[in-house]
């Protein structure tokens, strides 16, 4: 947002400098609305994930999204990693065992199925892209491993998309057999509204609304895309404090050395 | 014009005498990196040479480590980068330092180049120094472009497709060179493999040219904010500890900015589409290069003909090679050139404007603006600089660096008395 404003300011300055007047920003027809800005627990230099929110978000992913959207880069063991949803290793074993993993070949050369283990990655719902497209009317549901970094607007966009459905498209807009969404580029999205009030059974007393589901699953996807975020911000703080102290020492050293010199 | 010769190293200890008789490495390094006389009036814009050396070293070290974990194959490249981010110890740190390091490198090189432009650092006797710098800049752009392809995201793939196809616009040899660069008829596995190979090679070529660049710097010595050549020892200070400490301080400030990006906004300079795996069947809505290449991308798209765009884009860098002979002014420093100063800042705005336009879709008012700015870009080099030298009334130059320094501080004091011998040598200005 700030970036856009700065660019617009620059455009205006340039336009005036050139005597062109402002080079207005052209919005193409059907362009998506800017996503809703959500106040995330993990934004800002000291932001951290809310463990309970990530656990709820995982539940929403598992029960509402995972039927179509894979998460091939994330392993079950990651759910117990520091800076993540904070499941215990025992819980992770139980979660993993819920999934069926194809393994093999065994000693006879046959592939076999076994319950998931913490080392396994989330199995993708479709064997390949063609199968995914065939089962979803031609649209391939994207993998969720890095989706929070792969969309302009990040988690704000994912949240907005979840709450941005409209039962009927506005008059004069035809979305065919697709669904109208305020925030999807072009507005016509192939995915049916995935979340419904009371659709996922929360056990911690959080109100079971689409709004909460959307926030929780967005936060979970941010963690899935950036599992080292908390470590990154923590080390970053240490690094920057260290560099500021070092720069102060260097400044006074430099000033002392140069104090006898006209320059 | 001849600089003050560096103090020679005289070995004191028995060991160093023994060593110097066999491998006089300290005898080479001492006058080059310790006693090397630098103008006493260098400002902080002169710290970017050191900062750039730091950037190159950081990119090479992080790059070598990344290459230990990266897989250059179209089916595995994207996931191998994510493997680095998730499973390699501190892999996220190494990769974010490397990817943001490229941006920091370009930020520093642009400041370094604009500094050279403002203070006339390309003028005699530093033409070869400048040209070597432009060669480094070209190598940097090639390296960065190929590096951006390696994660094999959507922008990697489509950026490579757009840029390599440009070469096809060249008459006669275009198709042949395109096929040769691609290793086939479209961007694919052979392209990725050769880009990885060349991306590993080019930084070492850059390091080689950097050595030549420093060599060419040490023959005439540093330019300085007055543009007046060093005349006496009084004008200079030994590189160590004066410049080393100043460079170190500036470098740490630069590292704070660097760290702010790496730790708090590691993806802000990249494009979100590059976190989508490359897909030859889906074209992104807007194909844009990294920010540091945007001005050249704007020039490329400003021209209606493909060949014309390519020629103009290469011309925009090519013109830098002949810059020392385009600027006819006898006065080096922009500080003493009132008209040049104004044109310089207009030129800076033109470059920023081209960068902005490079990120916009090539349509409507944007294209018209890009054409105007492209024209202004070339006019600066081909008309303004040659003509200014003939017509501009420059301000009077100080007789020496020492005089300019003492004048600024009121000309009094003990240092002034000590330096008075140096100010009375007005035989050659510029």
């Amino acid at each position: 947002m700030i970036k856009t404003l700065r660019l617009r300011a620059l455009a205006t300055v340039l336009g005036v400098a050139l005597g062109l007047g402002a080079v207005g920003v052209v919005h193409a027809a059907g362009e998506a609305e800017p996503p809703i800005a959500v106040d995330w627990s993990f934004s800002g230099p000291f932001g951290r994930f809310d463990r309970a929110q990530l656990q709820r978000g995982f539940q929403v992913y598992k029960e509402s999204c995972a039927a179509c959207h894979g998460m091939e880069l994330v392993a079950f063991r990651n759910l117990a990693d520091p800076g993540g949803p904070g499941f215990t290793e025992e819980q992770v074993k139980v979660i993993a065992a819920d999934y069926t993993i194809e393994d093999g070949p065994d000693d006879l050369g046959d592939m076999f199925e076994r319950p998931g283990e913490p080392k396994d990655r989330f199995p993708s719902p479709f064997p390949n892209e063609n199968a995914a497209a065939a089962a979803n009317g031609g649209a391939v549901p994207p993998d969720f491993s890095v989706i929070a970094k792969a969309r302009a607007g990040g988690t704000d966009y994912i949240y907005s998309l979840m709450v941005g459905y409209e039962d009927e498209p506005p008059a004069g807009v035809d979305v065919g057999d697709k669904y109208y969404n305020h925030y999807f580029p072009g507005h016509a999205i192939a995915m049916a509204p995935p979340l419904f009030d009371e659709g996922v059974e929360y056990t911690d007393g959080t109100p079971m609304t689409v709004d909460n589901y959307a926030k929780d699953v967005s936060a979970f996807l941010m963690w899935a895309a950036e599992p080292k975020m908390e470590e990154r911000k923590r080390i970053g703080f240490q690094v920057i404090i260290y560099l500021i102290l070092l720069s102060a020492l260097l400044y006074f050293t430099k000033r002392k050395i140069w104090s006898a010199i006209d320059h | 014009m001849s600089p003050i010769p560096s103090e020679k190293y005289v070995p004191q200890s028995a060991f160093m005498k023994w060593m110097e008789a066999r491998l006089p490495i300290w005898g080479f390094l001492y006058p080059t990196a310790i006693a090397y006389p630098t103008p006493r009036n260098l400002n902080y814009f002169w710290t970017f040479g050191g900062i750039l050396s730091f950037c190159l070293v950081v990119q090479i070290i992080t790059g070598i480590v990344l290459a230990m974990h990266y897989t250059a194959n179209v089916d595995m490249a994207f996931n191998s980068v994510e493997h680095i981010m998730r499973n390699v110890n501190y892999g996220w740190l190494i990769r974010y330092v490397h990817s943001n390091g490229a941006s920091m490198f370009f930020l520093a090189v642009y400041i370094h180049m604009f500094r050279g432009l403002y203070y006339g650092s390309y003028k005699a006797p530093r033409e070869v120094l400048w040209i070597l710098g432009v060669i480094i800049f070209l190598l940097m752009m090639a390296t960065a472009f190929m590096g951006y392809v390696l994660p094999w995201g959507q922008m990697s793939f489509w950026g490579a497709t757009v840029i390599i196809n440009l070469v096809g616009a060249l008459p006669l040899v275009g198709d042949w060179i395109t096929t040769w660069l691609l290793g086939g008829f479209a961007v694919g596995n052979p392209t990725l493999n050769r880009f990885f190979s060349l991306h590993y090679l080019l930084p070492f070529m850059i390091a080689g040219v950097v050595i030549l660049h420093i060599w060419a710097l040490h023959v005439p010595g540093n330019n300085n904010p007055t543009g007046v050549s060093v005349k006496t020892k009084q004008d200079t200070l030994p590189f160590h500890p004066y410049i080393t400490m100043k460079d170190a301080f500036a470098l740490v400030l630069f590292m704070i900015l660097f760290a702010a990006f790496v730790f708090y906004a590691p993806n802000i300079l990249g494009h979100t589409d590059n976190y989508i795996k490359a897909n030859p069947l889906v074209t992104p809505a807007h194909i844009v290069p990294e920010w540091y290449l945007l001005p050249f991308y704007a020039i490329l798209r400003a021209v209606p003909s493909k060949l014309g765009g390519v020629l103009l884009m290469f011309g925009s860098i090519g013109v830098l090679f002949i810059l020392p002979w385009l600027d006819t002014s006898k006065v080096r420093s922009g500080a003493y050139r009132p008209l040049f100063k104004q044109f310089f800042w207009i030129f800076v705005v033109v470059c920023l404007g081209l960068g902005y336009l490079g990120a916009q879709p090539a349509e409507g008012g944007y294209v018209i603006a890009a054409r105007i700015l492209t024209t202004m870009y070339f006019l600066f080099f081909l008309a303004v600089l040659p003509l200014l030298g003939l017509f501009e009334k420059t301000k009077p130059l100080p007789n020496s660096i020492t005089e300019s320094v003492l004048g600024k501080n009121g000309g009094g004091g003990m240092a002034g008395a000590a330096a008075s011998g140096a100010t009375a040598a007005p035989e050659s200005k510029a």
Side-chain angles (χ1 to χ4, degrees), chain A residues 141-199:
Chain A
D143 185 86
F144 272 0
S145 308
V146 286
I147 195 113
K149 293 198 282 187
R151 294 291 181 276
T155 42
D156 282 348
Y157 170 76
I158 296 171
Y159 166 79
S160 304
L161 194 73
M162 293 299 99
V163 300
Y165 280 95
E166 207 64 71
D167 291 340
E168 290 294 325
V173 177
D174 180 29
V175 292
D177 55 354
K178 295 183 174 178
Y179 302 86
Y180 186 87
N181 192 304
H182 288 285
Y183 304 98
F184 190 72
H187 293 305
I189 185 167
M191 173 172 66
L195 302 174
F196 302 94
D197 288 345
E198 312 278 318

Side-chain angles (χ1 to χ4, degrees), chain A residues 26-228:
Chain A
V26 186
H27 278 285
E31 199 175 303
E33 293 165 31
I36 304 160
V38 180
D39 187 18
W40 301 105
S41 71
F42 49 82
S43 52
F46 300 102
R48 308 186 66 172
F49 290 117
D50 174 346
R51 312 271 165 249
Q53 183 175 43
L54 292 192
Q55 296 199 1
R56 292 195 303 271
F58 169 63
Q59 194 189 350
V60 175
Y61 166 72
K62 191 182 165 194
E63 294 176 20
S64 292
C65 319
C68 301
H69 295 278
M71 203 161 57
E72 59 173 16
L73 299 172
V74 180
F76 297 117
R77 63 177 163 80
N78 295 137
L79 295 170
D81 283 349
F87 287 109
T88 63
E89 291 191 8
E90 285 311 308
Q91 285 172 313
V92 168
K93 277 182 193 163
V94 174
I95 291 168
D98 253 7
Y99 290 79
T100 307
I101 305 290
E102 188 185 45
D103 203 346
D106 62 14
D107 293 346
L108 298 173
D110 298 321
M111 301 303 281
F112 60 93
E113 290 189 335
R114 60 165 173 81
E117 293 169 28
K119 66 172 186 189
D120 294 315
R121 305 214 173 155
F122 279 85
S124 294
F126 301 103
N128 52 58
E129 277 205 356
N130 290 7
N136 290 283
V140 180
D143 185 86
F144 272 0
S145 308
V146 286
I147 195 113
K149 293 198 282 187
R151 294 291 181 276
T155 42
D156 282 348
Y157 170 76
I158 296 171
Y159 166 79
S160 304
L161 194 73
M162 293 299 99
V163 300
Y165 280 95
E166 207 64 71
D167 291 340
E168 290 294 325
V173 177
D174 180 29
V175 292
D177 55 354
K178 295 183 174 178
Y179 302 86
Y180 186 87
N181 192 304
H182 288 285
Y183 304 98
F184 190 72
H187 293 305
I189 185 167
M191 173 172 66
L195 302 174
F196 302 94
D197 288 345
E198 312 278 318
V200 176
E201 193 73 23
Y202 279 167
T203 54
D204 64 353
T206 306
M208 295 183 279
T209 60
V210 167
D211 194 71
N212 278 336
Y213 295 152
K215 278 182 184 148
D216 295 347
V217 79
S218 301
F220 173 73
L221 292 177
M222 187 71 245
W223 167 77
E226 198 67 14
K228 306 298 169 85

Side-chain angles (χ1 to χ4, degrees), chain A residues 3 14 45 72 77 145-146 149-151 224 226 228 231-233 236-237 243 247 250 257-258 262-263, chain B residues 40 86-87 92 96 242 245 249 252 263-264 266-268 272 275-277 349 353 405-406 408-409 415:
Chain A
K3 203 176 173 187
L14 276 176
E72 59 173 16
R77 63 177 163 80
S145 308
V146 286
K149 293 198 282 187
R151 294 291 181 276
E226 198 67 14
K228 306 298 169 85
E231 185 186 16
R232 165 160 63 75
K233 288 180 178 175
F237 183 70
L243 287 175
S247 71
L250 284 168
I257 289 171
W258 282 77
D262 278 312
H263 60 281
Chain B
R40 62 197 292 156
R86 289 160 192 273
N87 300 323
W92 59 269
Y96 278 154
Y242 294 101
M245 287 320 291
F249 171 58
V252 173
F263 293 104
Y264 294 108
N267 293 307
I268 202 165
T272 46
Y275 277 106
I276 304 172
K277 263 183 215 180
V349 173
V405 167
L406 298 178
K408 192 178 73 185
N409 294 348

Side-chain angles (χ1 to χ4, degrees), chain B residues 301-351:
Chain B
R301 298 187 306 173
V303 188
S305 113
K306 190 169 160 187
L307 179 60
V310 173
L311 292 178
L312 223 52
M313 183 177 72
F314 283 111
S316 66
I317 297 160
V319 74
L320 297 175
F321 281 99
I322 53 167
L323 171 63
W325 296 276
L326 289 174
D327 186 348
T328 50
S329 175
K330 293 277 179 284
V331 175
R332 282 200 196 106
S333 170
Y336 301 95
R337 303 181 60 190
L339 276 176
F340 168 83
K341 208 186 276 188
Q342 292 177 35
F343 280 108
F344 172 84
W345 287 112
I346 293 172
F347 178 71
V348 172
V349 173
V350 165
C351 292

Side-chain angles (χ1 to χ4, degrees), chain B residues 132-210:
Chain B
L132 288 167
V134 179
I135 292 172
I136 294 171
F137 178 53
L138 270 177
L139 287 172
M140 277 175 65
M141 290 203 290
T143 310
F145 165 68
M146 288 191 284
Y148 195 56
V149 175
L150 302 186
W152 209 243
Q154 274 288 69
M155 278 302 157
S156 300
F157 180 89
W158 288 98
T161 302
V162 168
I163 298 299
I164 296 176
N165 278 343
L166 292 175
V167 183
L170 295 174
L172 301 175
V173 291
D175 282 340
W176 184 81
I177 295 179
T178 310
T179 312
W180 180 70
L181 283 174
L182 291 170
F185 299 105
V187 176
N189 204 48
T191 323
L192 180 59
N193 277 310
R194 65 192 52 200
F195 274 29
F196 181 46
S197 174
L198 293 173
H199 183 72
Y200 207 119
L201 168 70
L202 288 188
F204 296 98
M205 293 176 64
I206 293 177
V209 186
V210 165

